[in-house]
Amino acid sequence: MGRRGRLSESGPRARPSTYPAPPVKGPVRTCVGCRERDQRSALLRLVLDPVHDDAVAGPPRIVIDVRACLPGRGAWVHPEPRCLELAERRRAVPRALRVDGPLDLGEVRAHIDQ
């Protein structure tokens, strides 16, 4: 068999990934504020309040899902004021939760400022 018919000794060459691999193994999520990937345990999960009644006036309330087990879509954010401000400016939280209109992030802001 000629040289054209076989692969090189090292096998097919894979292209290097453009995304850096996370330093530690485990679930990885993306912060909606700074758009950086980080471990799930380093981020806060934000969800719509599951007991919020549609008849109540005002924007839907966001709660922090500490155990990351509440039902529904979640938005992940670093527990830093900078990331929350970026997420608010980019309107990333309502987009991640697929909700129209403004959201009340007061509880999240108070939790991060502590």
Side-chain angles (χ1 to χ4, degrees):
M1 179 177 231
R3 287 188 60 90
R4 289 183 173 199
R6 68 182 159 160
L7 297 173
S8 68
E9 297 297 323
S10 62
R13 293 193 175 107
R15 294 181 191 150
S17 174
T18 58
Y19 298 104
V24 203
K25 292 187 178 182
V28 177
R29 301 291 183 263
T30 302
C31 174
V32 295
C34 64
R35 302 292 300 156
E36 290 182 13
R37 294 174 49 154
D38 205 347
Q39 294 294 310
R40 177 179 149 169
S41 59
L43 299 168
L44 294 175
R45 182 173 186 253
L46 309 177
V47 294
L48 289 175
D49 188 2
V51 296
H52 180 76
D53 188 11
D54 291 334
V56 176
R61 196 170 66 100
I62 298 291
V63 293
I64 298 171
D65 186 6
V66 179
R67 293 176 46 208
C69 64
L70 288 176
R73 294 188 62 83
W76 298 84
V77 66
H78 283 111
E80 299 175 7
R82 177 182 63 90
C83 287
L84 186 61
E85 290 170 11
L86 282 170
E88 283 182 302
R89 189 173 351 136
R90 295 176 54 235
R91 295 184 207 117
V93 176
R95 191 174 336 129
L97 298 176
R98 296 184 182 168
V99 189
D100 294 330
L103 295 174
D104 180 21
L105 295 172
E107 183 178 330
V108 178
R109 193 174 296 107
H111 178 81
I112 289 177
D113 289 340
Q114 285 181 339

